[in-house]
Amino acid sequence: MSMECHQSSMYASSIKEIPDPEPILCKSIDFVIPDDRLRVGIETLSRFKSLEPCPDWEICPSSSQERPTPPPAFHIHIKDSEVTVALYPQSETIWLLPPLDSSLSSPNKHILPSHFVLASDQTILPPWRPGRGSGVFKSDSDPVVVPKSHILLEAFLRLYARDSGKRIGAFAMAMIGYIEEYVDDDGLLDANLLPEPLKTSYEELRQGIKPVRQWTQELKEALGIHEDSEDDRNG
């Protein structure tokens, strides 16, 4: 799901003081796939008659480099709709996880890797709730695999540490705020599953015990990220 967000403030003292993001709007159905399967993914989407190619990549909001969220490697439009279907390589999204493999193409909740859950698993995901979106998928006839909440939080923390001070870093901080308010506060996140130093860093940010500028610097240092470093994949 694509989310439009305000820029976050590096001077806020806690998550609570970061400006609230815009309401969630479903503008895109996004899939993360193995890097080496991107071409296959593009060819597969192109076969669907209900989808049509982007009319102009240069001006389309979905591919704009100025959008507040990371642009996909590929997107295609649903006919007669403003919603797109997008593909993201794993190396640009959830690089922290082991490589995705073909076992996820026919998933079974009893043998899924521990990082994932079926979007239709009512034992883990919540039902529809007012102001909280549609909730767990109603059917598993066409299974969809999603990351567990602590994995999603870890990805946004690492993305923020890598790109703080940039537009994508601001997006990541806004998403951390979403998770804190709508997932953690609702009892749907076990922050103890975060690896260190992210577990301690998230607790500090949530409690607002440090200015965000100081917190950001300490997070970068803990992950081995320097100001001239491009990413934290080796951190």
Side-chain angles (χ1 to χ4, degrees), residues 106-113 116-124 140 143 145 148:
S106 299
N108 181 309
K109 74 175 184 179
H110 300 296
I111 58 175
L112 273 178
F116 299 111
V117 61
L118 289 180
S120 57
D121 191 341
Q122 300 180 29
T123 66
I124 296 179
D140 59 2
V145 175
K148 291 183 177 179

Side-chain angles (χ1 to χ4, degrees), residues 173-190:
M173 178 57 84
M175 294 302 98
I176 294 169
Y178 262 122
I179 292 176
E180 187 262 350
E181 183 172 357
Y182 297 112
V183 181
D184 199 355
D185 283 357
D186 286 359
L188 299 171
L189 171 72
D190 185 355

Side-chain angles (χ1 to χ4, degrees), residues 152-173:
L152 193 61
L153 176 57
E154 179 179 353
F156 285 132
L157 285 166
R158 290 185 181 275
L159 189 64
Y160 174 73
R162 187 188 74 180
D163 292 330
S164 63
K166 302 177 183 178
R167 182 179 289 106
I168 292 177
F171 155 76
M173 178 57 84

Side-chain angles (χ1 to χ4, degrees), residues 61-83:
S62 295
S63 54
S64 172
Q65 295 299 317
E66 300 302 315
R67 55 182 274 167
T69 59
F74 173 81
H75 78 274
I76 196 167
H77 293 252
I78 298 177
K79 290 183 178 179
D80 302 319
S81 170
E82 295 183 359
V83 178

Side-chain angles (χ1 to χ4, degrees), residues 37-48 51:
R37 305 297 289 175
L38 181 60
R39 176 53 55 187
V40 174
I42 293 173
E43 293 173 352
T44 300
L45 289 180
S46 300
R47 297 193 190 107
F48 286 89
L51 303 176

Side-chain angles (χ1 to χ4, degrees), residues 98-111:
L100 304 176
D101 58 41
S102 59
S103 66
L104 296 176
S105 61
S106 299
N108 181 309
K109 74 175 184 179
H110 300 296
I111 58 175

